[in-house]
Amino acid sequence: MQPFTTHSGLVVPLDRVNVDTDQMVPKQFLKFLTREGYGRVLFYDWRYLPGERPNPDFVLNQPRYQGASIMLTRRNFGCGSSREHAAWGVADYGLRAIIGPSFADIFFKNCASNGILAIVLPDEQVDDLFRRAESTPGYKLHIDLPNQTLRDDQGLELKFEIDEFRKQMLIKGLDEIGLTLENEVEISAYEKSHQPEPEQHAPVDFSFPAAS
Amino acid sequence: MTMAPRTLYDKIWDFHVVTEEPGRPSLIYIDRHYIHEGTSPQAFSGLKAAGRRVRRPDLTFAVMDHSVPTKNRELATIDPDAKGQFDALARNCRETGVRLFDMFSQNQGIVHVIGPELGLSQPGMTIVCGDSHTSTNGAFGSLAFGIGTSAVEHVLATQCLREYRSLPMRVQVNGRRPVGVTAKDVILAIIGKIGISAGVGHVIEYAGETIRGLSMEGRMTLCNMSIEAGARAGMVAPDETTFGYIEGRPFAPRGKDFQAAVERWKNFATDPGAVYDKVYELDGTKIVPQVTWGTNPGMVTGVTGRVPSPDSFADPGERKAVERALAYMDLKPGTAIADIPVDYVFIGSCTNSRLEDLRAASKVVAGKHVASSVKLALAVPGSRTVKAQAEKEGLDKIFTDAGFEWRDSGCSMCIGMNEDVLPAGMRCASTSNRNFEGRQGKGGRTHLVSPITAAASAIAGHFVDVRETGVDLE
Ligand code: SF4
């Protein structure tokens, strides 16, 4: 996973509440076998007109926001489906951080798994950032994760909260599975004391019997 | 030392903690891991790339459901991308020893329908799946929630997840549920009241007389849509209804073991005096059949109501969202719900495709015919077990005589990943759970309803109050 320490980038404001993951990566793109290539289809139905022509009305297509790597959003971003494709799309598009007043739980976790920093700020601060991003062409933010700060070039400086564990995972770009495997002793002990295996009492039409 | 009173959620959580360290999410053990073709391929390839194995193939169960054809299973070969996912799932299961219900299995079905049906989902368990509607399984008094693909990989490798404790929240629905009002109407009314983000960071426990009076099928419908209220999980404490449902299922304990299990399961109830972070209360006797008019499940009203005006929303973000939604849905403020025509009807999905749903809907359409203005009406059983039983009872005949198409089981038009896609501009009365823009097909307009409201609307050609149809709904 790509570590996240500090990042400076152009800000794109997506002024919508309750953006759902169906919108971020529509169903027709859920059939691939890899984690790559979802940046092209991110926000597909909003971003493209028939024939995959860019829809000039959609904010991501406006010339001034090309190359943006930080997105501003509204409340409950990433709600709905658990599809991690949404987070893969965000990362593949080149967005490294999303800033908003709240995120849906599963999407929030999926961001962390993919090296994307999701920053929660109070509504008033998000409102202020929207105003600044919309009124200042080329508006940039500078994110410092170790110090948990956010700065712009007009003198704004904000602190943000993040859970220490997630912060360290992001800074080090750590693989959570590797970390959990270090708990092998505890997991085996739990299994010995807690785990009855599922017992099958009637015929069931499986393709492959479970390996022991 | 006496223990502080705990909620049902706390008890399941505490039971599954493998390790806890301050400043870190807890490691919790997972009892059941369900996987499907849509969100598992990348998890298996990640596992393989890292040289890791599936820790507990015996606790992992796989099924093909999202993209399976419902008309003719052989059609799978027509969509090369879907076929690629089916092949990948079969290969991954073969290589790792995970039991698979492929699309030709007699026990195949939507993942959230078959887990309960096989007796795999039981009270007090932790159950996960790379799918947000895993919350369905919480109907058994288990902690069941959806996870992303990285987390699927984590569970495959470790049979554990790293999670922070959620906050417990209680939704209490009082009084007897009126005739003609289903579990679907109850959950839509709840979401309409508390909003689609009220549950963020929370696990909902549903309680009260209305909830207790629901069958297991109804409780599954209820818990299914917890995610639409923003919660990752919803649950109902197990009781005799729960135990009765589980008994005799293929993976349910038998004889003495079953009795012992029931005694253990009874402990999974909230202690008197336990504290919830949030509590909501509704009067169940006042709930009427619900119909959504917008593009998220919270945009809902009674079938006797009208499409609201954006001006009636105080929050500017909300007002904008409602304006967008009405434009997308092609609806004018003030339109009576009953005046909205219906082009398509979909009875199916993990929300409403179990036997009870099909029985109730078939009663409404029996001896009648779908309105001529309706272009397609689908009845899609949630599993092949449901399908077989429904056919035994002659329900398929009732549906087809009424002009419905009777299909094989799968997710179908809930998500439109197979050939069952809602065309652009078409308006669908759907028993599924999401009315997001394009959910059932790009440009398609979804109205979420109960199976009996969908059935009655199919006959009328527009939304109707099923209580006024003269059908005996008891
Ligand atoms: S029926 Fe719909 S909501 Fe349920 S698992 Fe399938 S696609 Fe998801």
Side-chain angles (χ1 to χ4, degrees):
Chain A
M1 203 174 76
Q2 193 183 354
F4 193 117
T5 46
T6 58
H7 177 78
S8 294
L10 187 68
V11 179
V12 56
L14 180 66
D15 194 0
R16 293 189 190 185
V17 292
N18 300 321
V19 172
D20 61 79
T21 54
D22 273 76
Q23 242 43 257
M24 297 175 72
V25 177
K27 59 184 147 286
Q28 65 269 36
F29 305 112
L30 301 183
K31 291 180 187 164
F32 308 136
L33 302 174
T34 63
R35 297 181 195 236
E36 288 82 43
Y38 294 93
R40 180 182 68 82
V41 303
L42 185 70
F43 297 116
Y44 193 85
D45 290 347
W46 291 343
R47 210 165 124 202
Y48 298 112
L49 297 167
E52 232 168 87
R53 283 175 300 121
N55 178 353
D57 293 339
F58 187 56
V59 68
L60 256 68
N61 291 332
Q62 293 172 11
R64 62 183 280 199
Y65 298 123
Q66 295 314 300
S69 59
I70 298 171
M71 189 161 68
L72 275 178
T73 67
R74 296 291 186 184
R75 180 158 40 80
N76 199 27
F77 187 81
C79 64
S81 162
S82 60
R83 60 187 70 165
E84 196 161 316
H85 309 68
W88 299 335
V90 165
D92 192 47
Y93 182 86
L95 295 169
R96 299 246 44 218
I98 309 179
I99 303 169
S102 66
F103 294 87
D105 293 336
I106 303 177
F107 179 77
F108 191 74
K109 271 207 94 173
N110 287 341
C111 282
S113 304
N114 290 280
I116 304 159
L117 178 61
I119 300 178
V120 180
L121 290 178
D123 274 309
E124 317 79 68
Q125 292 182 357
V126 173
D127 284 345
D128 182 37
L129 288 173
F130 263 97
R131 268 192 300 274
R132 288 168 184 256
E134 282 163 357
S135 62
T136 320
Y139 185 74
K140 276 182 145 189
L141 279 171
H142 311 283
I143 302 170
D144 180 338
L145 178 56
N147 289 311
Q148 298 176 215
T149 59
L150 205 63
R151 275 189 310 108
D152 71 5
D153 297 324
Q154 306 163 357
L156 177 82
E157 181 158 346
L158 300 171
K159 284 291 273 182
F160 62 88
E161 294 299 318
I162 181 171
D163 146 60
E164 189 59 30
F165 175 76
R166 294 264 172 261
K167 175 175 160 182
Q168 292 307 327
M169 294 294 286
L170 277 166
I171 290 176
K172 296 177 189 147
L174 280 182
D175 162 20
E176 208 179 289
I177 298 177
L179 197 75
T180 298
L181 287 171
E182 290 172 14
N183 290 113
E184 172 58 37
V185 175
E186 290 87 350
I187 299 173
S188 293
Y190 182 92
E191 285 176 329
K192 281 210 184 68
S193 57
H194 287 76
Q195 266 301 300
E197 316 213 334
E199 264 185 72
Q200 194 182 327
H201 298 281
V204 172
D205 187 12
F206 291 115
S207 289
F208 305 109
S212 55
Chain B
M1 193 183 89
T2 54
M3 223 178 192
R6 292 181 298 164
T7 63
L8 167 58
Y9 170 75
D10 294 326
K11 288 185 184 180
I12 301 176
W13 177 272
D14 292 346
F15 188 82
H16 288 89
V17 172
V18 174
T19 60
E20 260 177 330
E21 271 173 67
R24 274 191 177 196
S26 310
L27 197 61
I28 61 163
Y29 201 82
I30 302 303
D31 295 321
R32 294 284 183 268
H33 186 196
Y34 303 143
I35 59 178
H36 64 78
E37 81 277 14
T39 54
S40 66
Q42 293 89 349
F44 277 104
S45 36
L47 202 68
K48 215 187 261 180
R52 290 168 179 151
R53 67 187 177 95
V54 176
R55 183 183 180 91
R56 294 296 299 266
D58 59 328
L59 301 181
T60 314
F61 297 84
V63 65
M64 297 176 180
D65 59 0
H66 278 66
S67 304
V68 299
T70 58
K71 228 179 190 162
N72 174 357
R73 288 289 200 241
E74 306 299 336
L75 283 176
T77 47
I78 288 180
D79 178 349
D81 291 332
K83 186 171 186 312
Q85 285 196 330
F86 297 140
D87 291 348
L89 185 63
R91 191 177 57 243
N92 290 327
C93 289
R94 192 164 48 236
E95 286 174 6
T96 57
V98 167
R99 282 173 279 200
L100 167 70
F101 303 96
D102 68 19
M103 73 179 90
F104 300 103
S105 159
Q106 287 319 304
N107 296 103
Q108 183 271 350
I110 302 170
V111 61
H112 316 305
V113 174
I114 64 169
E117 191 173 77
L118 292 165
L120 285 166
S121 304
Q122 298 168 11
M125 282 183 169
T126 45
I127 303 171
V128 299
C129 172
D131 194 287
S132 60
H133 292 102
T134 309
S135 59
T136 313
N137 297 277
F140 291 83
S142 54
L143 174 58
F145 55 91
I147 54 179
T149 296
S150 295
V152 170
E153 187 178 332
H154 192 281
V155 179
L156 287 174
T158 67
Q159 201 57 34
C160 293
L161 272 179
R162 245 173 227 291
E163 290 283 327
Y164 286 105
R165 202 185 263 266
S166 301
L167 294 165
M169 154 173 160
R170 183 179 177 99
V171 174
Q172 168 100 15
V173 192
N174 301 316
R176 275 178 65 111
R177 182 169 46 94
V179 174
V181 174
T182 69
K184 179 64 159 285
D185 303 304
V186 173
I187 186 63
L188 284 172
I190 291 172
I191 298 167
K193 178 181 163 109
I194 73 177
I196 63 168
S197 57
V200 172
H202 290 75
V203 164
I204 303 176
E205 181 180 347
Y206 300 97
E209 188 187 353
T210 309
I211 308 301
R212 285 277 146 240
L214 293 173
S215 65
M216 282 317 294
E217 281 88 343
R219 294 179 192 181
M220 285 188 248
T221 301
L222 184 82
C223 291
N224 175 274
M225 291 190 70
S226 303
I227 182 81
E228 267 66 59
R232 272 179 94 184
M235 45 177 67
V236 177
D239 58 13
E240 292 305 324
T241 305
T242 322
F243 311 143
Y245 178 96
I246 296 173
E247 190 168 15
R249 296 192 177 265
F251 281 94
R254 294 276 155 114
K256 265 212 221 63
D257 288 347
F258 182 74
Q259 287 319 317
V262 167
E263 287 316 307
R264 208 164 46 76
W265 292 339
K266 282 182 181 160
N267 297 321
F268 288 105
T270 294
D271 296 328
V275 182
Y276 294 87
D277 181 62
K278 279 188 191 175
V279 178
Y280 292 95
E281 223 167 315
L282 273 81
D283 182 349
T285 65
K286 298 247 166 67
I287 298 174
V288 301
Q290 303 281 303
V291 181
T292 64
W293 47 262
T295 51
N296 74 49
M299 296 176 171
V300 65
T301 187
V303 66
T304 50
R306 287 175 184 277
V307 175
S309 159
D311 302 334
S312 61
F313 294 80
D315 177 82
E318 207 70 43
R319 197 155 53 228
K320 240 197 268 174
V322 168
E323 270 165 23
R324 267 190 68 85
L326 294 187
Y328 181 87
M329 295 296 288
D330 190 27
L331 289 172
K332 295 212 164 41
T335 307
I337 297 292
D339 288 341
I340 302 174
V342 167
D343 306 307
Y344 275 61
V345 177
F346 172 60
I347 299 181
S349 90
C350 57
T351 317
N352 282 125
S353 63
R354 284 164 288 264
L355 198 57
E356 180 181 282
D357 302 314
L358 299 180
R359 279 185 186 146
S362 72
K363 253 175 131 179
V364 175
V365 302
K368 304 194 182 81
H369 203 277
V370 166
S372 57
S373 56
V374 171
K375 291 164 190 71
L376 180 67
L378 287 180
V380 187
S383 73
R384 286 188 143 187
T385 310
V386 168
K387 178 168 183 275
Q389 181 59 31
E391 288 174 1
K392 232 193 205 159
E393 298 178 13
L395 306 186
D396 55 327
K397 184 93 182 23
I398 296 177
F399 278 113
T400 51
D401 283 352
F404 272 79
E405 286 193 20
W406 178 253
R407 295 289 186 85
D408 207 338
S409 76
C411 292
S412 183
M413 203 180 277
C414 170
I415 186 162
M417 283 181 70
N418 65 351
E419 70 282 11
D420 306 332
V421 178
L422 179 65
M426 289 290 129
R427 201 179 282 292
C428 182
S430 177
T431 67
S432 56
N433 44 45
R434 289 199 172 126
N435 50 348
F436 297 150
E437 286 181 26
R439 167 72 179 191
Q440 297 188 282
K442 187 176 175 180
R445 300 179 178 130
T446 302
H447 295 267
L448 303 176
V449 290
S450 76
I452 52 177
T453 295
S457 306
I459 303 299
H462 54 86
F463 290 103
V464 284
D465 188 341
V466 65
R467 298 168 301 180
E468 312 267 285
T469 54
V471 179
D472 176 16
L473 299 168
E474 279 289 359

